[in-house]
């Protein structure tokens, strides 16, 4: 059972007419606290999500008769499950398509147990880390072309994970910007010079 957090709704013991003195400091603290609650779950909740996901993935590996070591952690404010071992390429699939599908299934398993949507990141065989490096090179190449020719560069269609990796690299550079266009599965990034 999940812990109950106190809200501004009066409890059964408290009268609806009862006024609680509110100061500017408590209003600010309440607003900051509520914003944190809405923005990011506690690390313990995130770790619990990664544990649920790891159990689910372990069950899948057993069914498929694949061997792999599973690590669950919290990184960058999101739950992460990493599977390492040999013979895992089939779980990644072409350009990570199978991995994306497994990630969605795993997120659904977490949602089913917690009732909360998860931003879980699943990685198999270090695919995402390697792909991140490749995408950083693609993004830097696109930025160089944009700066050299002054024309927008359209990249090939990418998954949401891949687009985020490219956006992160482009946004860290000056003089260029990026945006996604199109509809899945053909959504792509356009890198263009920043308008003066």
């Amino acid at each position: 059972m999940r812990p109950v957090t106190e809200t501004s709704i009066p409890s059964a013991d408290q009268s609806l007419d009862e006024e609680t003195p509110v100061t500017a400091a408590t209003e600010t603290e309440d607003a900051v606290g509520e914003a944190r609650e809405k923005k990011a779950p506690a690390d313990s909740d995130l770790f619990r999500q990664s544990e649920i996901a790891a159990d689910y993935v372990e069950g899948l590996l057993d069914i498929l008769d694949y061997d792999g070591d599973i690590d669950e952690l919290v990184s960058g404010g999101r739950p992460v499950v990493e599977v390492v071992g040999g013979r895992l390429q089939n779980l990644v699939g072409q350009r990570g398509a199978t991995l994306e599908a497994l990630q969605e299934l795993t997120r659904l398993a977490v949602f089913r147990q917690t009732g909360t949507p998860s931003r879980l990141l699943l990685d198999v065989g270090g695919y995402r880390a390697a792909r991140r490096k490749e995408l950083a090179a693609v993004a830097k190449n696109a930025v160089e072309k944009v700066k050299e020719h002054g024309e927008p560069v359209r990249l090939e269609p990418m998954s949401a994970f891949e687009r985020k990796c490219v956006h992160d690299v482009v946004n860290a550079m000056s003089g260029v910007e990026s945006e996604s266009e199109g509809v899945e599965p053909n959504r792509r990034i356009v890198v263009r010079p920043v308008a003066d």
Side-chain angles (χ1 to χ4, degrees), residues 20 32 41 67 84 95 107 125 133 142 148 152 155 167 184:
T20 355
V32 169
D67 290 326
V84 291
R95 292 201 46 193
R107 285 177 174 178
K133 286 180 185 173
E148 183 179 329
L155 302 177
H167 283 306
E184 296 292 355

Side-chain angles (χ1 to χ4, degrees), residues 55-102:
D55 289 344
Y56 179 78
V57 171
E58 185 174 14
L60 284 176
L61 292 178
D62 288 345
I63 290 168
L64 297 170
D65 196 27
Y66 282 12
D67 290 326
D69 293 325
I70 301 172
D71 292 325
E72 63 254 4
L73 54 130
V74 173
S75 177
R78 64 193 300 182
V80 177
V81 171
E82 296 175 345
V83 184
V84 291
R87 279 191 342 115
L88 296 175
Q89 185 57 37
N90 288 340
L91 296 179
V92 174
Q94 185 177 5
R95 292 201 46 193
T98 306
L99 176 58
E100 290 294 327
L102 287 173

Side-chain angles (χ1 to χ4, degrees), residues 1 4 24 29 32 47 93 131 147 155-156:
M1 179 180 257
V4 178
E29 289 169 14
V32 169
F47 190 74
R131 187 69 178 136
K147 287 184 175 182
L155 302 177
E156 64 185 32

Side-chain angles (χ1 to χ4, degrees), residues 73-171:
L73 54 130
V74 173
S75 177
R78 64 193 300 182
V80 177
V81 171
E82 296 175 345
V83 184
V84 291
R87 279 191 342 115
L88 296 175
Q89 185 57 37
N90 288 340
L91 296 179
V92 174
Q94 185 177 5
R95 292 201 46 193
T98 306
L99 176 58
E100 290 294 327
L102 287 173
Q103 178 174 274
E104 286 307 309
L105 288 173
T106 307
R107 285 177 174 178
L108 285 171
V110 172
F111 177 75
R112 194 168 150 204
Q113 285 198 29
T114 64
T116 306
S118 177
R119 293 179 57 233
L120 173 89
L121 186 65
L122 176 65
D123 194 7
V124 174
Y127 173 80
R128 290 196 190 276
R131 187 69 178 136
R132 224 180 243 113
K133 286 180 185 173
E134 292 171 12
L135 291 166
V138 167
K140 288 175 185 173
N141 186 34
V143 167
E144 286 174 15
K145 286 181 181 176
V146 168
K147 287 184 175 182
E148 183 179 329
H149 301 289
E151 297 291 321
V153 172
R154 282 180 173 67
L155 302 177
E156 64 185 32
M158 298 180 185
S159 70
F161 162 76
E162 293 172 323
R163 289 193 310 271
K164 171 139 180 25
C165 292
V166 171
H167 283 306
D168 288 347
V169 171
V170 172
N171 289 336

Side-chain angles (χ1 to χ4, degrees), residues 19-40:
E19 250 183 60
T20 355
V22 177
T23 64
T26 56
E27 279 181 339
T28 304
E29 289 169 14
D30 289 346
V32 169
E34 286 175 11
R36 278 192 196 125
E37 281 179 31
K38 288 179 186 173
K39 284 185 183 175

